[in-house]
Amino acid sequence: MSFTYSGIGLSLGIVQTISNGGIQGSLTGISIGVGVSSTQKVWRSLQAFGDIAFAYSFSNILIEIQDTIKAPPPSEAKVMKSATRLSVATTTVFYMLCGCMGYAAFGDAAPDNLLTGFGFYEPFWLLDVANVAIVVHLVGAYQVFVQPIFAFVERWASRRWPDSAFIAKELRVGPFALSLFRLTWRSAFVCLTTVVAMLLPFFGNVVGLLGAVSFWPLTVYFPVEMYIAQRGVPRGSARWVSLKTLSACCLVVSIAAAAGSIADVIDALKVYRPFSG
């Protein structure tokens, strides 16, 4: 799904650039002038780090992927190393092309969501295919990421009210077990998160903030600390210093990206209208 909508966005960006007769924008990014101050440009540049970090916040599903690998041979570690190198390289090249061609196609008017920039251009069916791919991708991803929350709340409720029939009772429907509590609370959670998403029309700002908040602890800090502990890296050694320096630099990037995203959200709130899209 990701390749589908990213490939469509990249292709449309190339076609739009050709139809424009040249590349829009400049090497220094958005122009300072009407509607964009130098301060806003700095905040948006920092927010961009958060957007990039969001694309690399994949470490929390690596364990789930590794759990499906049949090993040996080769070992799970070797397979995961090769897969991670290939996926990171592919993601970097592909998304950099999407970002560069999107800016080349629209220049300073480039939207947060590249596909929305082609909303008034043919072929409409191709955009529909891309949007369907996004929906399928997000529905599946939502199910993966939300399961730990569901499990945590349901375990807590079972311990808190062990004698409640509403929580403990299950109705067998063929091979399935239907719980009224799970049905009620999960439906309410999905509805609540959907309403919150509709109330927040700041696509790029929210993505940047989520990326900044999740990138350093999940993708950098915990993996680095686990590696140091598992390998017994001596404190003060060259490898220990390098890993700690990497972690500290990524922390600074995450803080700067979060600051830029928050500043942009504050600016957006000044003209915010609920459910405005």
Side-chain angles (χ1 to χ4, degrees):
M1 294 300 103
S2 181
F3 271 116
T4 298
Y5 61 73
S6 299
I8 290 174
L10 175 59
S11 301
L12 291 176
I14 295 173
V15 171
Q16 183 64 32
T17 302
I18 295 173
S19 66
N20 290 338
I23 295 175
Q24 304 295 310
S26 65
L27 290 176
T28 57
I30 191 170
S31 304
I32 298 174
V34 180
V36 180
S37 65
S38 57
T39 302
Q40 287 176 319
K41 182 171 181 177
V42 171
W43 290 130
R44 292 183 183 183
S45 298
L46 294 178
Q47 178 203 316
F49 283 114
D51 293 334
I52 295 172
F54 186 83
Y56 289 94
S57 297
F58 58 86
S59 60
N60 50 343
I61 62 170
L62 283 180
I63 295 175
E64 304 290 343
I65 296 173
Q66 185 168 344
D67 191 47
T68 66
I69 294 177
K70 306 298 182 182
S75 69
E76 293 178 1
K78 289 182 179 179
V79 174
M80 290 302 295
K81 284 181 179 179
S82 299
T84 302
R85 291 192 190 101
L86 178 61
S87 61
V88 170
T90 303
T91 298
T92 301
V93 172
F94 209 70
Y95 283 172
M96 283 296 292
L97 285 173
C98 288
C100 292
M101 291 312 304
Y103 183 64
F106 297 105
D108 292 351
D112 290 338
N113 182 353
L114 177 60
L115 292 175
T116 62
F118 301 104
F120 301 102
Y121 298 96
E122 295 281 3
F124 294 113
W125 65 268
L126 193 57
L127 292 173
D128 291 337
V129 170
N131 287 317
V132 168
I134 292 174
V135 171
V136 174
H137 185 180
L138 294 183
V139 168
Y142 185 87
Q143 293 301 318
V144 172
F145 283 100
V146 83
Q147 290 305 317
I149 299 175
F150 288 160
F152 171 78
V153 172
E154 287 157 14
R155 282 197 302 266
W156 174 83
S158 298
R159 291 193 299 264
R160 182 69 176 80
W161 299 284
D163 300 324
S164 173
F166 174 69
I167 294 175
K169 187 176 181 180
E170 291 185 346
L171 176 65
R172 302 298 303 187
V173 181
F176 305 104
L178 178 62
S179 167
L180 184 59
F181 169 65
R182 286 201 300 267
L183 177 63
T184 303
W185 113 260
R186 291 187 181 197
S187 299
F189 180 85
V190 172
C191 292
L192 176 62
T193 54
T194 301
V195 171
V196 171
M198 293 170 65
L199 283 169
L200 298 175
F202 331 118
F203 178 79
N205 304 337
V206 173
V207 168
L209 182 58
L210 292 176
V213 170
S214 63
F215 174 71
W216 179 73
L218 297 178
T219 306
V220 181
Y221 177 74
F222 284 122
V224 165
E225 293 302 315
M226 286 189 289
Y227 177 84
I228 290 175
Q230 194 270 338
R231 292 298 181 92
V233 180
R235 180 182 292 272
S237 64
R239 177 170 295 184
W240 185 89
V241 171
S242 299
L243 290 170
K244 289 293 185 179
T245 301
L246 171 66
S247 181
C249 291
C250 290
L251 174 60
V252 172
V253 171
S254 292
I255 293 174
S261 299
I262 292 172
D264 266 9
V265 167
I266 293 173
D267 280 343
L269 284 172
K270 295 176 182 177
V271 293
Y272 169 65
R273 295 293 180 274
F275 302 105
S276 58

